[in-house]
Amino acid sequence: DVKVTQSSRYLVKRTGEKVFLECVQDMDHENMFWYRQDPGLGLRLIYFSYDVKMKEKGDIPEGYSVSREKKERFSLILESASTNQTSMYLCASTRGQGYGYTFGSGTRLTVV
Amino acid sequence: DQQVKQNSPSLSVQEGRISILNCDYTNSMFDYFLWYKKYPAEGPTFLISISSIKDKNEDGRFTVFLNKSAKHLSLHIVPSQPGDSAVYFCAALTTSGTYKYIFGTGTRLKVLA
């Protein structure tokens, strides 16, 4: 069964900490995405990547960065966590156009 | 600017009845649409899709209708079951462009037993 795995289901971090959210897919997909989900705002795209070492900003990249050193792994980095980054973070991958996303289970991050 | 809108944040339906979830979009370049279902503390799972060359796609209890002139799509669930209670997101894509889907804000469906 194909999978997108996010390393943590729940995280609690302090304001100002550097936070790493890891995502691994086993489908050999080139395209990977990071979204955050907030009530009333739906899923908003933070960053995406079409290939190794390639990244593009999504709609809300401020305060985040990403790393894609290997095809299967796409990491989201919060450089200095703030309380307004408390959210559900969802990683997804896709084979390409016309195919839907496969999502991970999500990471519920709380910044205190 | 919200290109994909789900104007009903929540919907309650009696078990066995029809659930209709609506989605409107503004970008006429969108030509591929999907519906996702999301349970709490889980990632969204793909439900059903439709290409702009069709106006209807059916999969079991789920049917998606697309009205291109109105820039509107809807998801019908018949009959509704308590296990259908979840948040439903519609998403749209321009297949000639990037692979990134634009998601709506979601509709929380509650099916009452």
Side-chain angles (χ1 to χ4, degrees), chain A residues 10 29 96 100:
Chain A
Y10 300 94
H29 287 169

Side-chain angles (χ1 to χ4, degrees), chain B residues 9 41 51 53 55 69 79 86 94 103 108:
Chain B
S51 164
I53 62 173
D55 53 19
S69 60
T94 304
F103 284 83
R108 182 177 300 279

